[in-house]
Each structure stands twice: as C-alpha cells, then as structure tokens.
Amino acid sequence: MNWVLLIIAGLFEVAFAACLGKAKEATGTESTYWYIGFLVCLGISMGLLLKVTQHLPIGTAYAVWTGIGAVGTVLVGIFIFKEPATFWRLFFITTLIISIVGLKVVSH
C-alpha cells in the first residue's frame, strides 16, 4: 500500500508543477485558482510522502517521488505545454524510468 501512496504522491507532484505552468499562462482570477491548485496539490503530495517515509527508506521514497515528478512533468510539458520531444530528452526520461523501476525492485 505504501508504494501505491508513493505513486499517488508523485502524481500530485506532477499536478502541482502543471498548476505552476498553467498559472504562468493565466491572468487575473484564473491565475489565482491555479496557484490555489498548486498549494492543494503540494500539500497532498508532501503529506503522502511524509506518510510513506514512515515505512519505506527515505532515500528510496524520495528518489522515486522526485523521479515520478520529473518524468510526469516532462510528459505534461510535452503534451500540454507543447515543449519539444527530442531524442535525447526522451532517451534520458527513459533511463530515469528504468532507474525508478530498479529502485522499486531492489527495495525491501
């Protein structure tokens, strides 16, 4: 169950990064709503990370959390914010995914 919560925490990390990107594009009240979404997602992500680190090694949990956030944020950038999907960018995201899976496999 802790691994599921860690994945959810990582997805909320992606969500708070996406909210920052949308807030940058928005103006007025809409921008404020995106910043509120950022704070809510940040709180949920950090709360879940705090919970799982009580049961999983901090080094592994933090690495997986940031890895999910990094991969997810790059994908959001590519698909939502139309950032470039170059070969090297995709290559290094793939190596990051392999590393995250590797940490899961070797963790107890």
Side-chain angles (χ1 to χ4, degrees):
M1 183 61 167
N2 289 307
W3 284 100
V4 172
L5 292 178
L6 184 58
I7 291 168
I8 293 169
L11 294 175
F12 272 100
E13 184 185 5
V14 174
F16 77 67
C19 286
L20 283 178
K22 293 301 264 182
K24 184 176 76 171
E25 293 178 348
T27 59
T29 306
E30 183 183 354
S31 177
T32 302
Y33 292 143
W34 284 112
Y35 284 123
I36 291 169
F38 162 78
L39 292 173
V40 169
C41 292
L42 177 68
I44 292 169
S45 182
M46 292 291 176
L48 289 172
L49 179 62
L50 176 67
K51 181 172 177 49
V52 301
T53 56
Q54 294 171 359
H55 304 283
L56 297 175
I58 184 72
T60 301
Y62 187 75
V64 170
W65 179 76
T66 56
I68 292 168
V71 170
T73 302
V74 168
L75 294 176
V76 165
I78 291 169
F79 291 111
I80 294 179
F81 297 109
K82 306 301 181 211
E83 294 175 357
T86 64
F87 168 80
W88 287 112
R89 195 169 191 195
L90 296 175
F91 172 79
F92 286 116
I93 287 299
T94 302
T95 62
L96 186 54
I97 292 168
I98 292 167
S99 297
I100 293 168
V101 171
L103 281 172
K104 166 69 171 102
V105 170
V106 300
S107 295
H108 302 291

